[in-house]
Amino acid sequence: MQARYYSTSDLAKKTGTSRQVISAIINDNWKQKRISQATYDRITQAMDEIGCVPNRTAIALRKKKQGRVGLLCHGPLYSHTLSALEKLNHYFLGSDQTLQMHVSAEGSLTDAIRELMGHRVDTIVILLSPMLDNFGVKDLGNETLHKLLRVVPHIIYNFPFDIPDQKLEAKFLSLGSHVIGFSRNHAYLAFLRYLQEQNLTRILIDEKIFALLAHSPQTTKICNSLTRVEPYPNPQSGKLTENIFELGEQMAFDLLPYLTREKFDYLITASDGIAQGAASVFEQRGIRVGKDIHILGFDKIDSLKYLKHEIATVEVPVEKMFTKLTDLLEGIPLENKAYRSHPKLHLP
């Protein structure tokens, strides 16, 4: 089945009237055109009966309506980006701005921006997923994208500040971008210093996090000072649609041989869900979480305090980031900036 949208000519034929009358009703100036209430009621009823919906984009352009925001969710939604999207939902419910929303997969960011611009949005918000390969650097580095973004005011939320190529941030600032994000390395640096202070020097670490730490001289230096640092495969790679707790359980089974051979002080995971799944398996196998091994998650999910196993975690500063996003949506300043917030480390 294909979508069918009626033109003013189609509707005029079906209702036995003129295109001028149809246009006046659609553009909401029928009273000024001295069209009767009876005619208005008859036409609008006919439109409902055949499922005719006016082209609102074209109407907005004719009226030069402002405040049309294009929201692009790029990549798989994740805990803290999902929280931001939920907050945006409530924001737009109470706003007089109209919203054009799109989703795009890895590799299609430029095409999605082009599509939004075709809807003549006044502002674009790009909500980046942290689950994109290398934090979406490849998509963000597209030169065609850069040319497009020069045309329309835009905000990039969850910008990957910790990427290896720091020149990318400067590039977007030169395009007039406002970028909002946080530094994962800030939280991990505090955690690694804690490990040093507590003499907890043997860790199992998600390889994606380990690769991130390798780009910072400070975190690299501390990692090199630890007795044992064993990276393991990220359990979500290629499995983003699978249950995150079950992925944590499977990961724990894969790591059990390491734990039976030698002592590790900390397991560093990519999320609180994975951490909880792993903790469940460890406890079943007689490995006491918080005594035999400690676990670090990520996100500080809302349900964490209700879950069984006590873990350390990193809280993403969603409130600060979202507040900055809504401030910008209320009026984007001419001077473009990068807005960083620092995550908070929570220890059990």
Side-chain angles (χ1 to χ4, degrees):
M1 180 179 178
Q2 292 184 330
R4 181 178 181 184
Y5 295 109
Y6 292 89
S7 67
T8 54
S9 297
D10 293 333
L11 193 56
K13 291 178 182 177
K14 286 184 174 292
T15 56
T17 188
S18 68
R19 288 181 57 190
Q20 289 77 11
V21 170
I22 299 298
S23 295
I25 290 174
I26 288 175
N27 292 317
D28 201 28
N29 61 354
W30 56 278
K31 291 183 179 179
Q32 294 91 317
K33 300 289 186 179
R34 299 184 182 278
I35 295 170
S36 69
Q37 182 71 50
T39 300
Y40 172 83
D41 292 341
R42 180 172 66 84
I43 299 301
T44 53
Q45 182 179 352
M47 291 171 67
D48 288 340
E49 288 176 354
I50 64 174
C52 176
V53 178
N55 185 339
R56 294 298 177 192
T57 301
I59 295 170
L61 287 174
R62 286 194 293 270
K63 292 183 176 181
K64 296 183 179 180
K65 185 176 180 179
Q66 300 298 311
R68 186 174 178 82
V69 178
L71 174 62
L72 176 61
C73 296
H74 184 55
L77 285 174
Y78 188 67
S79 177
H80 60 83
T81 47
L82 191 58
S83 296
L85 185 59
E86 181 181 10
K87 292 176 182 294
L88 278 171
N89 172 64
H90 292 295
Y91 170 79
F92 283 112
L93 284 174
S95 171
D96 58 359
Q97 300 177 90
T98 58
L99 181 67
Q100 181 74 35
M101 183 173 175
H102 282 224
V103 296
S104 59
E106 192 161 0
S108 61
L109 177 61
T110 301
D111 290 338
I113 291 297
R114 187 183 288 111
E115 178 71 16
L116 276 177
M117 291 175 65
H119 287 275
R120 295 300 188 264
V121 293
D122 300 294
T123 307
I124 291 177
V125 176
I126 304 173
L127 193 64
L128 286 172
S129 169
M131 302 307 294
L132 292 163
D133 184 42
N134 200 22
F135 304 100
V137 170
K138 185 175 181 179
D139 283 341
L140 291 172
N142 188 296
E143 289 295 332
T144 302
L145 172 69
H146 300 166
K147 293 174 183 177
L148 292 172
L149 289 180
R150 290 184 186 278
V151 177
V152 59
H154 58 280
I155 305 163
I156 306 176
Y157 181 94
N158 201 39
F159 189 81
F161 286 113
D162 293 312
I163 59 175
D165 184 6
Q166 293 296 318
K167 293 180 180 178
L168 191 59
E169 178 183 325
K171 176 67 175 180
F172 276 94
L173 291 178
S174 72
L175 299 174
S177 305
H178 291 270
V179 293
I180 302 171
F182 66 96
S183 172
R184 289 186 72 150
N185 263 329
H186 178 85
Y188 286 126
L189 179 60
F191 174 69
L192 291 173
R193 286 171 174 166
Y194 164 78
L195 293 182
Q196 283 186 315
E197 293 169 1
Q198 300 298 315
N199 197 31
L200 302 170
T201 63
R202 307 176 70 85
I203 63 173
L204 286 161
I205 183 169
D206 185 295
E207 62 182 10
K208 191 172 182 180
I209 299 173
F210 185 63
L212 183 69
L213 299 181
H215 296 301
S216 165
Q218 289 178 297
T219 53
T220 298
K221 183 178 180 180
I222 297 177
C223 283
N224 290 337
S225 73
L226 300 179
T227 304
R228 183 88 154 91
V229 179
E230 181 65 41
Y232 62 86
N234 181 284
Q236 286 183 287
S237 296
K239 302 177 182 179
L240 295 178
T241 60
E242 297 188 23
N243 184 290
I244 197 167
F245 295 96
E246 293 177 355
L247 289 176
E249 290 177 333
Q250 183 57 57
M251 180 196 75
F253 283 119
D254 294 338
L255 294 178
L256 284 175
Y258 289 96
L259 298 177
T260 55
R261 288 196 303 265
E262 58 184 301
K263 163 73 174 176
F264 282 93
D265 299 305
Y266 245 102
L267 169 66
I268 301 174
T269 69
S271 78
D272 292 338
I274 289 174
Q276 289 292 323
S280 177
V281 170
F282 290 160
E283 290 282 355
Q284 292 170 15
R285 294 303 180 97
I287 302 171
R288 298 168 300 174
V289 175
K291 294 183 178 180
D292 299 325
I293 192 169
H294 302 277
I295 303 179
L296 174 69
F298 194 87
D299 289 327
K300 195 178 182 294
I301 56 177
D302 292 340
S303 59
L304 190 60
K305 65 181 179 180
Y306 302 106
L307 299 178
K308 180 179 179 180
H309 306 289
E310 188 175 30
I311 63 170
T313 190
V314 175
E315 181 180 5
V316 178
V318 175
E319 291 294 338
K320 289 183 179 179
M321 292 167 61
F322 183 76
T323 298
K324 177 52 64 177
L325 175 58
T326 53
D327 286 347
L328 292 174
L329 285 172
E330 294 297 328
I332 296 184
L334 293 177
E335 182 183 3
N336 53 307
K337 288 185 178 180
Y339 303 92
R340 281 186 180 84
S341 296
H342 292 310
K344 183 178 180 181
L345 176 65
H346 292 268
L347 297 168

